[in-house]
Amino acid sequence: MKIKAVLTATLFSLSLTSCSAWIHGNKTLADDSQSDRQLSAKIVDGKTTRQEVEQTFGLKAEARNTRNKSFPDGKYALAQYIGHLNDLAGTYAHRSLYVAYDSNNIVVNHAITTNNFREKNVFEKDPVNVKNSAFASLNKGDSQSKVVSLLGQPREATFTDNGSLLWIYSSTEISRDASSYIPLYNMVKGTESGQSDRIYVEFDRKNQLTNLYSVTVSIVQGTSMGNAWDYQEKIVRLVKKY
């Protein structure tokens, strides 16, 4: 009976731990008592190692569409760490830490964004007109606050091959392909595809704008048990302001 009680308690504890991980994701990033600035200060570019980052923020997120290489040619390895922000209605946002590592696993650059599922940013409400306005109004040396005033808060970030920060704004439309309607086949190899129209905003180390990119990306992704992890992106159009 005693052994049974210990085993039951152990399983219950593991269940709570697993549940907590599912609810909160990375607990450090899920701690809304800490600001983005406070969390960012835990990492020093050019000094902090991948091991030290993972001691604080846990293991990187693994998803089929997670960016693993810097833009555009993959000079640096990238990692994303995600915390879930919750209220009484459930998870309403993901707070993500993005890190670029050099070949020695030293941090090159890092950034934090919050993806609030319940709100559209300015770009998502009117992608075409807002993109045109941004290209006309934003210039080299502009601040991040000016970018936010025109485009809204970014949901995602990544880094260039020279280590610069890129904020990503996107409007994506995906629909099921014909293969997804074929009985049996759709359980193994069904796909959906579409297009993502994006703005990449590049900043230097002083958080001043250095360039704008208008990017069109084609996407094909699996929808079945046999190809659930399949995901392909291809840039079909890229226009720089500078």
Side-chain angles (χ1 to χ4, degrees), residues 63-65 188-192 219-233:
R64 64 182 182 178
N65 61 343
V188 181
K189 288 291 185 179
T191 59
E192 58 187 10
I219 297 173
V220 180
Q221 58 192 22
T223 60
S224 309
M225 292 183 291
N227 66 349
W229 275 84
D230 288 358
Y231 183 86
Q232 294 182 337
E233 281 193 4

Side-chain angles (χ1 to χ4, degrees), residues 29 40 43 45 53 57 60-61 65-68 77-82 94-101 107-115 154-159 165-168:
L29 288 164
S40 184
I43 300 174
D45 296 339
V53 171
F57 296 98
K60 68 177 183 179
N65 61 343
T66 301
R67 293 178 179 85
N68 296 312
L78 305 183
Q80 180 181 357
Y81 308 85
I82 302 174
H94 285 165
R95 180 156 63 169
S96 293
L97 166 68
Y98 300 87
V99 184
Y101 295 104
V107 174
V108 175
N109 203 351
H110 70 286
I112 294 175
T113 68
T114 297
N115 177 7
R155 296 189 184 277
E156 301 176 86
T158 189
F159 302 94
L165 169 65
L166 286 178
W167 279 359
I168 300 174

Side-chain angles (χ1 to χ4, degrees), residues 138-144 204 207-211 242:
L138 292 173
N139 297 288
K140 283 186 176 182
D142 283 343
S143 65
Q144 290 185 343
D204 61 20
N207 291 326
Q208 295 179 328
L209 189 150
T210 57
N211 213 338
Y242 301 107

